[in-house]
Amino acid sequence: MTFAPHPVTEIDVVAAATTRRGRVLVLQGRGDAPAHYARLAHRLAVDGYEVGIAQVPPATPVEAAAAWAAFVEDTEQPQVVVAADTAAGLVAAALAEGGVDESPSAVVLAGLAVPGAAVAEPVADETQELRSACPIHAGVVRSAGARSLAESVIDPIWPEGAAALPVLAIHGAADAIAPLDDAIALLARWHAEVVVVAGGLHDVLNDVAHRSVAAEIVQLLERVRLDAAAAPILERRAA
């Protein structure tokens, strides 16, 4: 599939801080700016992963696929998509519709926007309070510009049955923009592995527990380095 040049295919790349272990493309959601994901990118880079951040959020499944096509390269290393908010549903739709020529090794859906997940924004600060409680991130948002969640209806599509690749969904338990129960109803039919962040708000990648969330993503990356079908490396058992 050939894509015409589009701003969504403009990608900033943060090099791995050590020998490269794999590659990660971050697709931002509504109202996000590349600077919002710099902290996540540098944290993954420290663990040896090269991270690309799309300059603009994709608006359609075709644009999500175009961003991936611009990022993916011929390598044996794992290449993973981390998609936030609306981008999460668009990536799912692109995969379901067969619009991706070379599938990623795995997909991370962070704060999946569910049907009807829209917020009217009379005051930007009020919206920020719904998105993240991290004061450091709030400063980044102020520096990068106001965020906007336009009124929209998101309807992600995924084929019935298990996906052909690992899908990790990370969602905030206290997400008032895309309620957890609504997200789980969608994720259940995708056979996704769901991680719920206690007290987490909508921007789980940029919320108070961002370190724990990044660590969860690293665990997935390390797992798919071994085998896409590999079981979790770390198991929790009762004493």
Side-chain angles (χ1 to χ4, degrees), residues 146-167:
R147 311 177 73 162
S148 174
L149 287 176
E151 290 289 345
S152 58
V153 176
I154 311 302
D155 189 13
I157 302 169
W158 197 275
E160 293 297 331
L165 72 168
V167 179

Side-chain angles (χ1 to χ4, degrees), residues 27-81:
L27 294 180
Q28 45 183 297
R30 296 167 293 177
D32 283 342
H36 299 169
Y37 294 96
R39 180 171 62 181
L40 172 66
H42 288 289
R43 192 171 298 280
L44 297 180
V46 166
D47 279 306
Y49 291 92
E50 180 179 87
V51 182
I53 306 174
Q55 290 298 286
V56 298
T60 66
V62 169
E63 289 187 5
W68 175 248
F71 177 77
V72 68
E73 66 178 33
D74 184 14
T75 176
E76 295 298 319
Q77 294 180 323
Q79 300 183 89
V80 172
V81 177

Side-chain angles (χ1 to χ4, degrees), residues 165-224:
L165 72 168
V167 179
L168 170 65
I170 307 175
H171 212 88
D175 189 338
I177 294 173
L180 176 62
D181 288 346
D182 293 343
I184 286 179
L186 281 176
L187 295 166
R189 62 177 177 158
W190 300 350
H191 294 248
E193 177 185 353
V194 181
V195 172
V196 177
V197 181
L201 301 181
H202 186 60
D203 286 352
V204 289
L205 298 175
N206 298 313
D207 203 7
V208 174
H210 61 89
R211 292 178 181 83
S212 296
V213 170
E216 195 71 38
I217 294 173
V218 170
Q219 288 195 56
L220 173 69
L221 293 168
E222 290 297 303
R223 191 167 79 191
V224 297

